[in-house]
Amino acid sequence: EYAKERYGTFDGNLKKWDWEKPNSENIMKLKIGWGYMPGIAIEEGRDFSAYLENVPAENKEKVIEAIHFTHKYCSSASSDKGNLDIPTDWEEAYDARAWTAFPERR
């Protein structure tokens, strides 16, 4: 749930993004949200590989796959929304307590 809440900022930034304007102009428009959580969600079907020019060629496919994976599970605009089961081995990641009591550890 925490990751979905954080990704929500990306969804909000994407709604305000104008693809006809340069990045710098869009960022200035999003100044407050951009400083807190910079970035936008991906738009399904849009090629964004040009933004990965500094990613080594051998890693691009993995990076794109990771971006789509994150969007799939965290975005409110995901086309898979509602059809996903969270794997049980991810459940432990939701325990945000600073120290889990010894008897409760698995």
Side-chain angles (χ1 to χ4, degrees):
E1 294 305 312
Y2 176 77
K4 287 180 183 179
E5 288 175 17
R6 297 291 292 197
Y7 199 90
T9 303
F10 292 162
D11 286 331
N13 288 346
L14 178 62
K15 288 177 186 174
K16 299 172 190 167
W17 197 265
D18 183 349
W19 293 101
E20 301 301 318
K21 295 182 179 177
N23 292 344
S24 58
E25 193 173 328
N26 278 304
I27 291 169
M28 286 304 293
K29 182 172 56 174
L30 301 169
K31 201 171 193 176
I32 294 173
W34 196 266
Y36 168 70
M37 184 78 179
I40 60 172
I42 61 168
E43 196 170 61
E44 292 180 20
R46 181 177 287 276
D47 179 24
F48 54 90
S49 57
Y51 295 101
L52 304 174
E53 63 188 32
N54 294 325
V55 175
E58 65 270 11
N59 295 338
K60 273 192 183 182
E61 190 175 326
K62 287 181 183 179
V63 169
I64 290 172
E65 185 179 312
I67 290 169
H68 282 286
F69 177 88
T70 304
H71 181 78
K72 176 180 166 180
Y73 278 94
C74 297
S75 178
S76 61
S78 171
S79 60
D80 293 317
K81 185 179 164 188
N83 299 325
L84 299 170
D85 291 323
I86 303 298
T88 54
D89 58 331
W90 290 7
E91 292 297 325
E92 195 64 35
Y94 296 118
D95 188 352
R97 292 177 288 179
W99 180 263
T100 306
F102 181 77
E104 297 175 20
R105 293 184 192 165
R106 295 179 200 170

